[in-house]
């Protein structure tokens, strides 16, 4: 029996790559940087499956370049804004993602960012490296306490709920705004985003990126936050209008921001955000723990293999491809 041919757009962890190689003839892109779109167009030609990353844009042009034998696209991420899903659906191609397994790792990082911004940890470290630490001083690098404050979650899916759990140990009150979610744990629903912003000392974003959420954090949003509030974003960079965020941080309209994701990624070194002491930025490492990345690679491989076998993907973002009977 001929083995299916697949293109894997980066070296993923062995936990997944071994599975892919057992079942398929895999062409794996070995570069540290993603293949360019043109290279991708070449590489997918004639493939039965594609295992891609959030750095690869997958659209109708690319799916057509692959050819009508393409059976599955498996994204090595829970977010899938890099894929034009309707283009895949129109061609009857199931798209897989990796939900659930990166919930804890991402919530851990979001909480770490909250603490880093509140207690000015990255700024304090730079302070030492700059030779500014001369003595202990009662007013040196003062931050913000957590206990008794309010954490506002914009989006109350898996990661938002994991944040709510973590907040218990820090004596935070938790509120959320998400018209589609049921209240759970210690978290109280807010009837509007404005109400959430009015009450929150920490605002953490947990929405997917789509037309409705692009630049949801803009000048208007920031102007409704409390003066000493902190913004945390571990979702997708374009959810935040970075020019507006820069103005709000520069003028101390809010206390600080902490970002795991930026627009674009990587953030150019001349980004004004990098000049600010009150902006913590890390390079999209929400899911970057060994176990989580093993689990993501494994699930991405399982989605890919299921699609190649003509089986339902364990996690499919466009299940309507099965209903349409294509
Ligand atoms: C995802 O899976 O969408 C994350 O952003 C990767 O960490």
């Amino acid at each position: 029996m001929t083995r299916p041919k697949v293109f894997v757009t980066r070296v993923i962890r062995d936990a997944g790559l071994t599975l892919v190689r057992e079942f398929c003839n895999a062409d794996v892109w070995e570069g540290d940087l993603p293949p360019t779109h043109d290279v991708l167009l070449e590489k997918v030609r004639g493939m039965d499956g594609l295992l891609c990353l959030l750095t690869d844009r997958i659209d109708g042009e690319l799916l057509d370049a692959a050819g009508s034998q393409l059976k599955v696209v498996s994204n090595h991420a829970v977010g899938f804004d890099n894929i034009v899903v309707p283009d895949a659906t129109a061609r009857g191609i199931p798209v897989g993602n990796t939900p659930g397994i990166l919930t804890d790792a991402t919530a851990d990082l979001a909480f770490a960012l909250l603490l880093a911004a509140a207690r000015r940890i990255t700024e304090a470290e730079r302070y030492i490296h700059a030779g500014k630490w001369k003595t202990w001083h009662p007013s040196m690098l003062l931050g913000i306490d957590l206990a008794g404050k309010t954490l506002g979650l914009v989006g109350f899916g898996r990661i938002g709920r994991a944040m709510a759990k973590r907040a218990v140990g820090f004596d935070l009150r938790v509120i959320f705004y998400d018209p589609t979610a049921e209240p759970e744990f210690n978290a109280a629903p807010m009837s509007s985003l404005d109400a959430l912003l009015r009450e929150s000392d920490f605002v953490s974003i947990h929405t997917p990126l789509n037309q409705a959420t692009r630049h949801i954090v803009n000048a208007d949003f920031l102007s409704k936050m409390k003066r000493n509030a902190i913004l945390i974003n571990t979702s997708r960079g374009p959810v935040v209008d970075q020019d507006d965020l820069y103005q709000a941080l520069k003028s101390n309209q809010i206390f600080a921001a902490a970002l795991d994701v930026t627009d674009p990624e990587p953030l150019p070194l001349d980004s004004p955000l990098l000049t600010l002491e009150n902006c913590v930025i890390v390079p999209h490492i929400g899911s970057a723990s060994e176990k989580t990345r093993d689990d993501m690679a494994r699930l991405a491989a399982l989605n890919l293999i299921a699609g190649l076998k003509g089986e339902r993907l364990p996690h499919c973002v466009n299940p309507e491809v099965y209903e349409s009977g294509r």
Side-chain angles (χ1 to χ4, degrees):
M1 188 183 112
T2 51
R3 286 153 59 86
K5 287 187 289 180
V6 299
F7 183 56
V8 181
T9 66
R10 214 81 60 78
V11 178
I12 60 169
R13 302 273 295 173
D14 279 345
L17 206 46
T18 308
L19 288 175
V20 173
R21 286 194 160 124
E22 268 167 21
F23 189 77
C24 317
N25 286 343
D27 180 3
V28 181
W29 182 254
E30 303 272 345
D32 282 335
L33 295 179
T36 62
H37 197 66
D38 283 349
V39 170
L40 206 47
L41 286 172
E42 268 307 305
K43 287 286 188 182
V44 292
R45 203 173 302 279
M47 292 291 163
D48 301 301
L50 174 64
L51 195 156
C52 55
L53 268 57
L54 53 83
T55 42
D56 306 310
R57 181 177 159 80
I58 310 299
D59 56 12
E61 182 196 11
L62 190 111
L63 299 170
D64 288 341
S68 58
Q69 76 298 326
L70 185 74
K71 290 193 182 61
V72 57
V73 172
S74 172
N75 209 33
H76 179 281
V78 63
F80 48 87
D81 48 282
N82 58 308
I83 300 177
V84 184
V85 176
D87 285 359
T89 307
R91 289 160 179 79
I93 298 171
V95 174
N97 72 335
T98 63
I101 49 193
L102 46 83
T103 302
D104 285 324
T106 308
D108 286 349
L109 186 87
F111 222 92
L113 288 175
L114 187 161
L115 285 165
R119 299 303 304 273
R120 301 171 62 178
I121 291 174
T122 50
E123 182 186 352
E125 201 189 21
R126 285 194 293 272
Y127 186 87
I128 295 182
H129 286 282
K132 292 184 185 165
W133 188 17
K134 305 293 181 205
T135 181
W136 189 91
H137 191 282
S139 303
M140 188 176 90
L141 289 163
L142 302 186
I144 289 184
D145 292 311
L146 272 64
K149 297 279 173 49
T150 297
L151 169 63
L153 302 167
V154 180
F156 198 57
R158 294 183 199 84
I159 300 172
R161 291 200 291 268
M163 280 295 275
K165 274 202 219 166
R166 281 153 181 75
V168 176
F170 287 86
D171 282 339
L172 284 163
R173 167 183 172 243
V174 183
I175 59 178
F176 72 89
Y177 176 67
D178 185 338
T180 64
E182 293 297 318
E184 215 179 301
F185 309 117
N186 48 332
M190 290 284 114
S191 57
S192 69
L193 187 56
D194 284 8
L196 177 129
L197 296 176
R198 239 187 340 264
E199 294 197 26
S200 301
D201 301 289
F202 309 103
V203 176
S204 191
I205 310 292
H206 300 286
T207 55
L209 173 63
N210 53 40
Q211 294 296 13
T213 60
R214 184 175 293 274
H215 284 191
I216 194 176
V217 180
N218 54 21
D220 182 54
F221 180 111
L222 293 159
S223 72
K224 290 173 180 157
M225 288 174 68
K226 289 187 184 178
R227 195 152 194 102
N228 252 355
I230 292 175
L231 175 80
I232 302 109
N233 186 18
T234 52
S235 64
R236 284 291 184 265
V239 168
V240 175
D241 181 322
Q242 286 177 184
D243 293 337
D244 289 354
L245 178 62
Y246 172 77
Q247 293 305 333
L249 291 169
K250 179 83 185 158
S251 61
N252 295 316
Q253 188 187 322
I254 62 170
F255 184 78
L259 312 174
D260 179 42
V261 287
T262 61
D263 182 20
E265 291 181 4
L267 188 65
L269 276 178
D270 62 358
S271 165
L273 287 177
L274 292 172
T275 64
L276 298 172
E277 288 291 11
N278 58 350
C279 192
V280 177
I281 307 180
V282 294
H284 203 149
I285 55 169
S287 62
S289 76
E290 293 195 4
K291 177 183 179 303
T292 299
R293 288 287 164 83
D294 280 352
D295 290 347
M296 288 169 72
R298 197 176 296 111
L299 184 49
L302 292 176
N303 277 332
L304 180 81
I305 293 167
L308 292 168
K309 288 179 171 167
E311 294 169 1
R312 212 178 167 99
L313 311 195
H315 290 283
C316 183
V317 306
N318 57 344
E320 56 276 22
V321 289
Y322 299 117
E323 277 129 47
S324 67
R326 296 182 61 153

